[in-house]
Amino acid sequence: MNEGTRVTTRCSDDLTPAAALFRGLADPTRLAILRRLADGELRVVDLTGELGLAQSTVSAHLACLRDCGLVAGRPEGRQMFYALARPELLDLLRAAEQLLAATGEAVALCPAYGCATEDDR
């Protein structure tokens, strides 16, 4: 593909849901929340303490994950306990960790999506 060539995807394409899933998982805060929830249910206050983030930030990310069907909330009294909604998500996260281990730093250094500095691009 030429550098100037763009690939366009219509919403009806078969890959659109997968792309949306990976966009949802692309945020470091959402990944951190999912990693914490992999160990069991937590409340927003638990996540804010563990992640050092504001309640509004954690709540917004939980809402995104809930809207995507990845996280579910269980009310108990005046509290809401959040957990992974799908056990398959753990398999996906484990597979991603294995892939990252196998590729070394190649993904992190990717000029399009990695952590390369402006000087590296």
Side-chain angles (χ1 to χ4, degrees):
M1 182 181 317
N2 294 338
E3 202 169 307
T5 305
R6 287 189 74 173
V7 176
T8 57
T9 305
R10 294 181 309 276
C11 287
S12 61
D13 289 348
D14 290 341
L15 296 177
T16 300
L21 170 67
F22 284 106
R23 275 195 306 272
L25 297 174
D27 185 271
T29 299
R30 287 192 289 275
L31 280 176
I33 289 170
L34 292 172
R35 183 176 285 163
R36 298 308 190 286
L37 293 178
D39 293 331
E41 291 184 322
L42 292 170
R43 302 167 299 163
V44 171
V45 67
D46 301 322
L47 289 164
T48 59
E50 289 185 26
L51 300 173
L53 298 170
Q55 180 271 330
S56 60
T57 301
V58 171
S59 292
H61 285 291
L62 281 169
C64 175
L65 292 167
R66 190 179 59 242
D67 291 345
C68 293
L70 301 176
V71 168
R74 179 183 61 81
E76 186 174 300
R78 294 179 58 182
Q79 301 182 73
M80 182 71 74
F81 287 84
Y82 292 93
L84 298 181
R86 304 292 316 176
E88 299 91 343
L89 188 53
L90 288 174
D91 296 333
L92 178 63
L93 295 174
R94 283 187 200 111
E97 288 174 1
Q98 291 173 345
L99 181 60
L100 288 170
T103 60
E105 294 186 22
V107 173
L109 297 176
C110 173
Y113 298 110
C115 298
T117 65
E118 289 296 319
D119 295 337
D120 295 336
R121 292 183 184 172

